[in-house]
Amino acid sequence: MKLAKILESYPKNLSKIHRHLPLTLDNKTCVYGAKGIGKTEIILNHYAKAEFSSSKKMYLNLNDSHLNQCKISESLLDFLQKETIDIFILDHFSPSLFSPTLLDSIPTPQITIISQSPLTNLNYNLVEIPPITFQEFTKIHKTPIDESLNSYLKFGNLLEAEYLNEYKKGEFLKILAGDSINFWILQNLILHLGQKASIHQIFTKLKKEGKLSKDRFYEYCKILNESKILFWLTKFEHESAPKKLYFWDFTLKNTISYERNFALLFENMVFLELLYHFKEEIFYTDKLDFYLPNLSLGILCMPFVQHHILESRLHKITKEREFCDSFLILSLNHKESGENLGTPYQVLPFKDFALQDSLPKFF
């Protein structure tokens, strides 16, 4: 009876806010990514296209409070075998409720699973939904560029970030964590945003503050990393060195700390842009915030540029000049070009940098 009602109540009133991403879905696809970036909206908007208008669709949200998840999973296969459904969307998927055998038995021609983590143990095509970049943010909200940038800096890059003040975003993080222990771990990871730290160092710090098992800590960090909530940036040519921590929403530290650090917020924002274009080909060095080997490009983040401080930072870059052809300095609104100790550099406003379709060689 419940499944019949769910079939009849396929979502029709879609959000007015849409992400602008190219999307290709196979017959069996797992769409994954961090919470709050609009995975469900992307899928429902995709299947709202004219080419699917005659298809019989079913959307099952496993987080629906009306459901008894265990009973639903037990009766789902029988229901789908009796109904002729063309497209089946399973949202907030939990591997603990659905075995690979059960999923393989579903007769629906096209199945899309929406999950926070990639389901690597299934024979499904994996589609990662990335965090929202500034260019996409401007397309979603369709406001003037400067107004968009102010909103982006203030609210962050979740799909409906403007509706989440710092208190509500804190509640959002608690829901994301699931329990008090995970929230405690998440808070402490966020406090290390932009810093160089090993996972062991953070665990050791937490062990001094309260009771926490190593397995619990490491497993939760793995989940955060797999679901693209937390990113660990490696030092160039030093795989074992401490990593730099970044998150899928660059404003998180403002949510859990009264200490504001705009420079680190800006750095995390830049990281997400680079991540979108270069995936795993980003590193840091002793003197560079980011290094892109494919472009031989060193990047510094300086939201507020003072020329003498810029020259001082560039002068201190010595070893990196062996493998950097040029430097890019990203600011809020400053623009200039020059040369330091024989190496050309360009200072570019973040919005100019982020609104390019791809990141070219700047020199």
Side-chain angles (χ1 to χ4, degrees):
M1 182 64 178
K2 281 185 179 178
L3 288 171
K5 285 187 175 294
I6 290 169
L7 177 59
E8 293 170 2
S9 58
Y10 184 84
K12 294 187 175 76
N13 297 320
L14 302 181
S15 170
K16 294 180 181 179
I17 302 175
H18 301 302
R19 290 199 62 175
H20 295 257
L21 290 176
L23 190 65
T24 302
L25 301 179
D26 291 345
N27 290 342
K28 292 186 176 182
T29 305
C30 170
V31 176
Y32 72 98
K35 187 176 178 62
I37 61 173
K39 299 186 297 296
T40 299
E41 184 277 329
I42 290 172
I43 298 304
L44 293 177
N45 196 44
H46 175 80
Y47 284 126
K49 294 177 181 176
E51 62 191 278
F52 302 109
S53 60
S54 60
S55 300
K56 189 174 182 180
K57 300 184 281 284
M58 180 174 178
Y59 170 78
L60 177 58
N61 178 7
L62 294 175
N63 271 3
D64 189 335
S65 59
H66 296 93
L67 302 181
N68 181 320
Q69 292 185 357
C70 293
K71 289 185 178 180
I72 286 292
S73 62
E74 291 171 2
S75 57
L76 180 62
L77 184 57
D78 287 340
F79 179 81
L80 292 176
Q81 287 173 338
K82 293 174 185 176
E83 295 287 339
T84 305
I85 295 171
D86 302 306
I87 297 168
F88 179 53
I89 305 166
L90 189 57
D91 202 353
H92 295 101
F93 179 79
S94 171
S96 62
L97 292 173
F98 292 84
S99 68
T101 303
L102 173 59
L103 288 172
D104 286 340
S105 302
I106 293 176
T108 308
Q110 183 138 345
I111 305 171
T112 300
I113 292 175
I114 305 174
S115 171
Q116 278 190 219
S117 300
L119 305 175
T120 54
N121 62 329
L122 300 176
N123 189 26
Y124 274 57
N125 182 45
L126 298 178
V127 174
E128 179 188 339
I129 303 300
I132 297 171
T133 61
F134 179 61
Q135 184 179 74
E136 191 184 357
F137 185 88
T138 61
K139 293 178 180 178
I140 291 170
H141 296 278
K142 300 176 182 177
T143 54
I145 298 302
D146 288 339
E147 185 179 332
S148 290
L149 181 58
N150 289 335
S151 296
Y152 197 62
L153 290 168
K154 181 177 180 180
F155 299 114
N157 58 321
L158 300 184
L159 185 64
E160 297 182 339
E162 65 269 32
Y163 303 114
L164 295 172
N165 58 32
E166 288 183 10
Y167 174 78
K168 288 182 178 178
K169 190 169 282 191
E171 294 301 305
F172 168 84
L173 288 178
K174 290 178 182 178
I175 293 170
L176 169 69
D179 62 43
S180 59
I181 298 296
N182 284 350
F183 183 59
W184 174 44
I185 296 171
L186 181 58
Q187 280 180 302
N188 279 272
L189 290 169
I190 293 170
L191 288 173
H192 286 82
L193 185 149
Q195 298 178 15
K196 301 168 188 175
S198 72
I199 192 170
H200 176 71
Q201 288 173 333
I202 298 173
F203 172 69
T204 302
K205 173 182 176 293
L206 289 178
K207 278 284 289 182
K208 293 177 181 178
E209 297 177 3
K211 188 176 180 180
L212 178 64
S213 75
K214 185 176 182 179
D215 289 346
R216 173 73 178 269
F217 174 78
Y218 277 76
E219 180 60 27
Y220 187 53
C221 288
K222 180 182 177 183
I223 290 170
L224 292 174
N225 183 243
E226 287 182 345
S227 60
K228 308 301 180 181
I229 287 172
L230 166 66
F231 301 93
W232 300 88
L233 185 65
T234 301
K235 185 176 182 181
F236 182 62
E237 294 184 335
H238 292 82
E239 179 70 32
S240 61
K243 307 288 192 290
K244 289 177 75 173
L245 278 71
Y246 298 104
F247 290 84
W248 89 114
D249 175 5
F250 55 83
T251 65
L252 290 186
K253 195 168 183 180
N254 291 348
T255 301
I256 56 99
S257 174
Y258 288 113
E259 295 182 7
R260 298 294 190 257
N261 190 324
F262 183 78
L264 288 180
L265 179 152
F266 186 79
E267 187 178 312
N268 196 151
M269 188 169 71
V270 170
F271 169 78
L272 293 176
E273 297 291 332
L274 295 173
L275 181 72
Y276 181 80
H277 290 289
F278 294 97
K279 304 298 181 186
E280 305 302 322
E281 295 302 316
I282 317 167
F283 301 89
Y284 80 90
T285 74
D286 288 330
K287 301 298 182 182
L288 296 171
D289 295 323
F290 304 109
Y291 172 60
L292 305 179
N294 289 347
L295 295 182
S296 299
L297 180 66
I299 298 176
L300 297 178
C301 299
M302 297 183 66
F304 308 106
V305 174
Q306 293 178 287
H307 190 76
H308 67 285
I309 296 177
L310 169 60
E311 288 293 327
S312 176
R313 284 194 67 179
L314 291 173
H315 262 73
K316 292 176 182 177
I317 301 173
T318 54
K319 183 174 62 175
E320 287 88 341
R321 290 178 191 266
E322 297 175 8
F323 46 79
C324 278
D325 292 337
S326 57
F327 299 129
L328 173 65
I329 298 89
L330 293 173
S331 70
L332 265 184
N333 50 30
H334 193 77
K335 189 171 186 177
E336 68 169 279
S337 59
E339 187 176 289
N340 179 274
L341 301 180
T343 305
Y345 70 83
Q346 182 169 345
V347 184
L348 200 64
F350 172 81
K351 61 185 179 183
D352 293 358
F353 161 78
L355 292 178
Q356 298 173 104
D357 291 328
S358 61
L359 189 59
K361 289 186 177 180
F362 289 93
F363 303 92

